[in-house]
C-alpha cells in the first residue's frame, strides 16, 4: 500500500505515535482493584450474614466497640457487600461512576464491620482498597455505556433472586435462637415479608429478630432502589446513524463503494459512525455487551483510514469498550493491525461470482442446471429488477412476505445484512422474485403468486451483494438456486459485473479437512464444525455457495488480545441475531402475522438462509 497523501498530513502526524502506543496505561491496575472489590464485598456479606464471624474467639481480640451489636450495621454491611460485587466489573472496565460509588461505599463498609464486631482484617483491607482507589483515581475515566430499560427488569429478577437467597441464609443463620421449628415455607414467607418491611411467621430470642428484620429490609430496599434507578435514570443515547452521518456515508460510498462488497451495509440504522479528521473515511460500529464491534472495512479513501481508525480507538478507550472488527478484508486487516497493534484471525471466506465467467454449462454445474430446469418445468417464472422499478403495491407485498417468511422473531444479520427493503433510500438495490400461478380454480396465496425473493444491495456501480434470501415453505425446493441463477443471467442487462453471495465461516478449514492426507488436528476441527452445523449454517453455506463455482475472498476478525475472543464471539452472535438476551419468547407480545420458517433448497441446510457471518 502506498504512503499517505500530503493532504492527510494532519492524520499522519497524529498516527506516528498513537496515544495508546505512546504511554499505555497498565491494565493490571483496574483488574486488581476490581478483584479486590470482589474480596471486600464478600467479606462485608460474611460480616452481616454469619454470626460465627462476629462471635468466635479468634475475632474477640479484634473487637473495637464493646457492648450491644447494632442491627443497622449488619444491614449496612450486607448492602455494601452486594453493591461492591455489582461494581467490581465496572471497576475492571475503569468506569468513572463505578469508582465514585465504590469510594462512597467503602467508608460505610469499614464502619459497619467495626461496629458489628468484625475482624480488623476486613476493615484494614477495605481501607487499603479505598486508599488504592483514591491514589489511582486517574485510571478511572471511562464514560458510561449506552443504556437500556431492560437492565431494570434484569436487575429486579437477578438481584431479587440473590436477595431472597441471602435472606434465607440470614433467617437460618441463628438456629439456636429460633422459636420452635419453622418449616422451609415459613422461612421463605419470613424472607418475603421482611423484604417488604413486615414481620414474618418466624420468631427469635435475644433480640435477634431486630438484626434479621433490619437485614431483610435492607435487601428489599436495595433491590427496589437499584431497579428504580435503572428504570428512571436519564437516557444515554445508543449509537444510531443520524441523517447527517448517513448522507456523509452515501457520499463516501459513491466515490469508494466499489472497493468493499460490505460497504453498503454501513447504512444500517442501528450502527454509529466515527469519521476521520478530514471526513474522507469512516468506521461504522455497534456497541454490544461492552464490545465496540465494527464490521467490514472502513468506508472511504484508503489513505484516510488511519484517521478514522484512530477516532474509533479513542472512542473505545473513552468508554472502556473492547474494540473488535469482524468481516474485514485482507487489506483492511493489514491496516487495522498495523495502526493499532491488534491481531487478526481468518474468519471465513466470501463467495464472489464474476458475471462474465458464469455459465450453466459443464459437468461442475450439472446439479444446479438440472434443478433450475426442473423448477422451470413446474411453471415457476423469475423477475429481476431494481427496487425503484417496483410498483408500490408489489413492493409492499414483497416486504410483507419477507417478514412473514422469517423463521425468527428478530431480523438476523449485522455485518452482511441491511435489514430493510426501501425504494426511496435504496432504489439501486436489486430484487429477484419467483412466481407461480395458482392452479385452475385455486385461490391466490396471502402474497399472490409470489413464492420466493432475494434482495441484493449495491456494490459500487457494477456489483451487487446478496443481503437476504426468503421463500415460502410450501414452494418447491431449489428456489434459492433458481433466483441466484436468474440474477446472474440478468446481471449484464443491469450493467452488473460481479455478485457477492453468502459468507462461509471457516470454509478453508472445511475444505482442507476433507482432502486426502489431512492431519488429525484439522480433521478433528472439521468434525467439530460439521457437528456445530446441526445448529448453525457452517458447512451448509459453504456447500451451497460452492455450487456456483465462485472465487473465495478471505475475511478476518481483528481483536486486541486472545482473552477478548470469547467476549467478541458472544457480542457477534448477539449482533447477528443468533443469541438473544431478553424475555422468553412465550412472554413477548405476539405479532399479528405469525412468522413462518423459510426452507432452504439444499437438503442439508437449515430452514432459513441469510447472508450472515
Amino acid at each position: 500500500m502506498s504512503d499517505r497523501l500530503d493532504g492527510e498530513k494532519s492524520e499522519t502526524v497524529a498516527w506516528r505515535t498513537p496515544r495508546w502506543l505512546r504511554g499505555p496505561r497498565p491494565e493490571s491496575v483496574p483488574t486488581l482493584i476490581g478483584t479486590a472489590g470482589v474480596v471486600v464485598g464478600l467479606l462485608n456479606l460474611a460480616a452481616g450474614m454469619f454470626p460465627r464471624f462476629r462471635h468466635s474467639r479468634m475475632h474477640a481480640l479484634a473487637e473495637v466497640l464493646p457492648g450491644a451489636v447494632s442491627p443497622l450495621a449488619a444491614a449496612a454491611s450486607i448492602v455494601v457487600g452486594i453493591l461492591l460485587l455489582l461494581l467490581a466489573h465496572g471497576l475492571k472496565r475503569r468506569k468513572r461512576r463505578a469508582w465514585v460509588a465504590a469510594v462512597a461505599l467503602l467508608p460505610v463498609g469499614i464502619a459497619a464491620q467495626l461496629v458489628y464486631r468484625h475482624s480488623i482484617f476486613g476493615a484494614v483491607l477495605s481501607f487499603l482498597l479505598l486508599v488504592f482507589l483514591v491514589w489511582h483515581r486517574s485510571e478511572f475515566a471511562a464514560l458510561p455505556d449506552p443504556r437500556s430499560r431492560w437492565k431494570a427488569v434484569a436487575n429486579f429478577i437477578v438481584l431479587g433472586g440473590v436477595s431472597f437467597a441471602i435472606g434465607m441464609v440470614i433467617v437460618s443463620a441463628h438456629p439456636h435462637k429460633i422459636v420452635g421449628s419453622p418449616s422451609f415455607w415459613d422461612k421463605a414467607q419470613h424472607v418475603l415479608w421482611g423484604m417488604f418491611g413486615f414481620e414474618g411467621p418466624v420468631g427469635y430470642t435475644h433480640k435477634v429478630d431486630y438484626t434479621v428484620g433490619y437485614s431483610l429490609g435492607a435487601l428489599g430496599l436495595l433491590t427496589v432502589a437499584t431497579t428504580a434507578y435503572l428504570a428512571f435514570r436519564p437516557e444515554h443515547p445508543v449509537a444510531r446513524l443520524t441523517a447527517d452521518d448517513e448522507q456523509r456515508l452515501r457520499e463516501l460510498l459513491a466515490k469508494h463503494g466499489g472497493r468493499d462488497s460490505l460497504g453498503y451495509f454501513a447504512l444500517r440504522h442501528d450502527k454509529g459512525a466515527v469519521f476521520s479528521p478530514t471526513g474522507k473515511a469512516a468506521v461504522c460500529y455497534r456497541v454490544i455487551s461492552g464490545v465496540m464491534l465494527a464490521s467490514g472495512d472502513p468506508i472511504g479513501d484508503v489513505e484516510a483510514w488511519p484517521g478514522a481508525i484512530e477516532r474509533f480507538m479513542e472512542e473505545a478507550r473513552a468508554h472502556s469498550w473492547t474494540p473488535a472488527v469482524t468481516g474485514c478484508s485482507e487489506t483492511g486487516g493489514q491496516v487495522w493491525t498495523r495502526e493499532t497493534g491488534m491481531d487478526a484471525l481468518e474468519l471465513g471466506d466470501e463467495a464472489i461470482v464474476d458475471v462474465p465467467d458464469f455459465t450453466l454449462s459443464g459437468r461442475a454445474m450439472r446439479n444446479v442446471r438440472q434443478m433450475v430446469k426442473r423448477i422451470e418445468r413446474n411453471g415457476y417464472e423469475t423477475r429481476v429488477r431494481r427496487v425503484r422499478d417496483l410498483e408500490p403495491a408489489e413492493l409492499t407485498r414483497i416486504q410483507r412476505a419477507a417478514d412473514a417468511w422469517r423463521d425468527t422473531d428478530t431480523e438476523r444479520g449485522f455485518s452482511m445484512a441491511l435489514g430493510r427493503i426501501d425504494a426511496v433510500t435504496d432504489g439501486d438495490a436489486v430484487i429477484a422474485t419467483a412466481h407461480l400461478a395458482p392452479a385452475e380454480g385455486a385461490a391466490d396465496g396471502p402474497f399472490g403468486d409470489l413464492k420466493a425473493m432475494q434482495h441484493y444491495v449495491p456494490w459500487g456501480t457494477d456489483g451487487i451483494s446478496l443481503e437476504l434470501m426468503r421463500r415460502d415453505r410450501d414452494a418447491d425446493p431449489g428456489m434459492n438456486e433458481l433466483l441466484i441463477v436468474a440474477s446472474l443471467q440478468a446481471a449484464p442487462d443491469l450493467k452488473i459485473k460481479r455478485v457477492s453471495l453468502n459468507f462461509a465461516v471457516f470454509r478453508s478449514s472445511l475444505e482442507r479437512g476433507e482432502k486426502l492426507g489431512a492431519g488429525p488436528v484439522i480433521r478433528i476441527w472439521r468434525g467439530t464444525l460439521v457437528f456445530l452445523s446441526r445448529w448453525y449454517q457452517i458447512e451448509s453455506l459453504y456447500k451451497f455457495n460452492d455450487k456456483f463455482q465462485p472465487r473465495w475472498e478471505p475475511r478476518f476478525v481483528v481483536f486486541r488480545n486472545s482473552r477478548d475472543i470469547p467476549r467478541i464471539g458472544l457480542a457477534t452472535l448477539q449482533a447477528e441475531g443468533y443469541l438473544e438476551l431478553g424475555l422468553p419468547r412465550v412472554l413477548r407480545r405476539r405479532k399479528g402475522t405469525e412468522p413462518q420458517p423459510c426452507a432452504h433448497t439444499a437438503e442439508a441446510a437449515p430452514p432459513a438462509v441469510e447472508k450472515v457471518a
Side-chain angles (χ1 to χ4, degrees), residues 242-430:
T242 65
D244 180 63
D245 289 343
E246 182 175 355
Q247 180 61 33
R248 296 174 66 183
L249 288 175
R250 289 187 181 276
E251 293 174 358
L252 293 178
L253 288 172
K255 298 178 181 179
H256 309 283
R259 207 208 59 79
D260 185 14
S261 64
L262 308 187
Y264 200 85
F265 299 116
L267 299 178
R268 286 177 60 102
H269 290 160
D270 60 353
K271 290 183 177 181
V274 290
F275 291 83
S276 65
T278 60
K280 295 181 180 180
V283 175
C284 297
Y285 68 93
R286 183 178 171 188
V287 179
I288 302 176
S289 299
V291 177
M292 190 176 183
L293 188 64
S295 60
D297 292 342
I299 308 300
D301 188 358
V302 179
E303 305 295 340
W305 282 8
I309 293 174
E310 177 186 10
R311 291 287 179 86
F312 177 87
M313 297 299 292
E314 287 179 350
E315 188 79 4
R317 180 169 182 83
H319 293 83
S320 190
W321 291 330
T322 300
V325 186
T326 179
C328 66
S329 67
E330 187 171 2
T331 300
Q334 290 175 350
V335 177
W336 274 100
T337 55
R338 183 191 68 199
E339 300 293 341
T340 66
M342 295 197 293
D343 203 355
L345 180 68
E346 185 173 347
L347 183 61
D349 297 270
E350 179 186 8
I352 299 176
V353 178
D354 294 316
V355 174
D357 299 333
F358 177 76
T359 178
L360 282 176
S361 304
R363 182 178 181 85
M365 299 296 296
R366 181 179 61 180
N367 291 336
V368 176
R369 183 173 62 249
Q370 291 176 348
M371 181 172 290
V372 170
K373 295 297 183 183
R374 175 179 58 79
I375 297 175
E376 290 177 342
R377 288 194 299 268
N378 291 341
Y380 286 86
E381 65 174 17
T382 59
R383 303 169 192 169
V384 181
R385 295 153 290 175
R386 298 282 184 182
V387 174
R388 62 171 175 265
D389 297 330
L390 294 173
E391 295 293 333
E394 184 177 8
L395 177 60
T396 301
R397 185 167 63 251
I398 291 174
Q399 292 170 338
R400 291 177 53 244
D403 290 337
W405 293 338
R406 185 175 62 221
D407 69 327
T408 57
D409 291 342
T410 57
E411 192 77 53
R412 282 185 174 176
F414 169 68
S415 57
M416 301 179 182
L418 187 63
R420 65 177 184 266
I421 304 175
D422 193 336
V424 178
T425 59
D426 311 304
D428 290 335
V430 174

Side-chain angles (χ1 to χ4, degrees), residues 315-570:
E315 188 79 4
R317 180 169 182 83
H319 293 83
S320 190
W321 291 330
T322 300
V325 186
T326 179
C328 66
S329 67
E330 187 171 2
T331 300
Q334 290 175 350
V335 177
W336 274 100
T337 55
R338 183 191 68 199
E339 300 293 341
T340 66
M342 295 197 293
D343 203 355
L345 180 68
E346 185 173 347
L347 183 61
D349 297 270
E350 179 186 8
I352 299 176
V353 178
D354 294 316
V355 174
D357 299 333
F358 177 76
T359 178
L360 282 176
S361 304
R363 182 178 181 85
M365 299 296 296
R366 181 179 61 180
N367 291 336
V368 176
R369 183 173 62 249
Q370 291 176 348
M371 181 172 290
V372 170
K373 295 297 183 183
R374 175 179 58 79
I375 297 175
E376 290 177 342
R377 288 194 299 268
N378 291 341
Y380 286 86
E381 65 174 17
T382 59
R383 303 169 192 169
V384 181
R385 295 153 290 175
R386 298 282 184 182
V387 174
R388 62 171 175 265
D389 297 330
L390 294 173
E391 295 293 333
E394 184 177 8
L395 177 60
T396 301
R397 185 167 63 251
I398 291 174
Q399 292 170 338
R400 291 177 53 244
D403 290 337
W405 293 338
R406 185 175 62 221
D407 69 327
T408 57
D409 291 342
T410 57
E411 192 77 53
R412 282 185 174 176
F414 169 68
S415 57
M416 301 179 182
L418 187 63
R420 65 177 184 266
I421 304 175
D422 193 336
V424 178
T425 59
D426 311 304
D428 290 335
V430 174
I431 282 283
T433 54
H435 305 265
L436 178 64
E440 186 176 354
D444 286 341
F447 310 108
D449 61 352
L450 182 65
K451 294 298 179 181
M453 56 81 59
Q454 290 181 358
H455 186 225
Y456 298 81
V457 299
W459 175 12
T461 58
D462 60 351
I464 54 177
S465 183
L466 178 58
E467 189 260 337
L468 188 66
M469 290 196 244
R470 295 277 167 79
R471 52 155 287 178
D472 188 345
R473 61 180 176 180
D474 295 328
D476 293 353
M479 289 292 103
N480 290 324
E481 286 89 341
L482 174 69
L483 289 180
I484 288 178
V485 170
S487 301
L488 291 170
Q489 291 176 340
D493 295 334
L494 299 175
K495 299 181 180 179
I496 294 172
K497 299 180 181 179
R498 50 187 179 170
V499 178
S500 169
L501 299 179
N502 292 294
F503 177 78
V505 182
F506 302 123
R507 182 205 66 87
S508 58
S509 300
L510 291 169
E511 184 182 45
R512 291 196 301 268
E514 62 185 2
K515 288 184 177 180
L516 182 66
V521 175
I522 190 63
R523 287 183 181 273
I524 293 174
W525 175 231
R526 181 183 180 277
T528 303
L529 295 176
V530 172
F531 175 76
L532 293 176
S533 295
R534 299 180 181 181
W535 299 276
Y536 301 100
Q537 299 172 10
I538 300 177
E539 185 184 30
S540 58
L541 278 180
Y542 161 53
K543 296 293 186 182
F544 175 80
N545 294 329
D546 198 52
K547 292 189 292 187
F548 300 96
Q549 303 299 305
R551 57 182 172 89
W552 297 98
E553 293 290 338
R555 292 281 175 173
F556 298 84
V557 58
V558 180
F559 54 93
R560 187 169 52 185
N561 49 59
S562 300
R563 65 174 178 269
D564 291 335
I565 292 179
R567 289 189 62 195
I568 295 171
L570 289 176

Side-chain angles (χ1 to χ4, degrees), residues 138-156:
S138 60
E139 294 288 340
F140 299 89
L143 301 176
D145 289 343
R147 296 169 181 170
S148 171
R149 300 304 182 192
W150 287 110
K151 290 184 178 180
V153 179
N155 178 84
F156 181 78

